[in-house]
Amino acid sequence: MAFELLRTPQVREAVQRQMSRTERASYEAAREELGGRGCVAGGYKLAASEGGDYPLCARHLAHAWRMYTAYPDDARVVIVAVDQHTPKNNPAASLAEALRGLAIIGRRRQGKPPCCEDAATPPPMNDELSSHLNSLL
């Protein structure tokens, strides 16, 4: 099954202007995998501020880059953001400013659950995330 890939204007801008050739290749490989495998290729679920999971996933790209994805339904993938995770920049904290309920600090590496087990059952989006994405796309 092929998945429709959407991306926000921030993603287009970051890929074109901020990524090196190696980083862009990593991004494109991740896009291709998401297009073929959906949320199974989404990395891990982010934490909610009040415990549990937030309906947004993160995937490591080349170097310090991270890709953040959401799943409006079982046929579409939205690349919400790409950004570098460095000692001075935590992309999840920036996203948490716009998305109440997303934890600023994530889980320990070994405690990160997969984005999903089955592409047919992506993490369900909440109303806030859905509304935010609709305003960006």
Side-chain angles (χ1 to χ4, degrees):
M1 174 179 183
F3 295 86
E4 179 183 6
L5 289 174
L6 306 169
R7 60 185 177 168
T8 64
Q10 180 275 338
V11 172
R12 283 186 202 92
E13 181 77 14
V15 171
Q16 291 173 355
R17 297 184 188 260
Q18 298 174 10
M19 288 184 168
S20 70
R21 185 177 358 181
T22 300
E23 293 161 345
R24 276 194 303 277
S26 172
Y27 166 80
E28 292 300 336
R31 276 191 61 186
E32 187 173 318
E33 190 175 3
L34 283 165
R37 299 180 63 211
C39 61
V40 173
Y44 55 90
K45 289 179 188 171
L46 295 179
S49 58
E50 295 186 14
D53 300 327
Y54 192 83
L56 204 61
C57 296
R59 177 183 170 139
H60 291 243
L61 301 176
H63 305 125
W65 285 92
R66 304 292 185 270
M67 173 187 283
Y68 298 90
T69 54
Y71 305 86
D73 52 51
D74 63 358
R76 294 183 295 155
V77 177
V78 178
I79 303 172
V80 177
V82 293
D83 203 350
Q84 294 187 69
H85 189 186
T86 65
K88 294 183 178 184
N89 182 50
N90 177 359
S94 299
L95 287 169
E97 289 177 17
L99 300 169
R100 285 188 345 249
L102 176 62
I104 294 172
I105 298 178
R107 300 177 176 99
R108 293 181 178 271
R109 191 171 307 211
Q110 63 271 21
K112 295 177 180 179
C115 185
C116 72
E117 301 289 338
D118 178 8
T121 55
M125 287 194 343
N126 60 29
D127 291 339
E128 177 190 28
L129 180 56
S130 181
S131 175
H132 185 72
L133 287 179
N134 287 336
S135 72
L136 294 175
L137 298 174

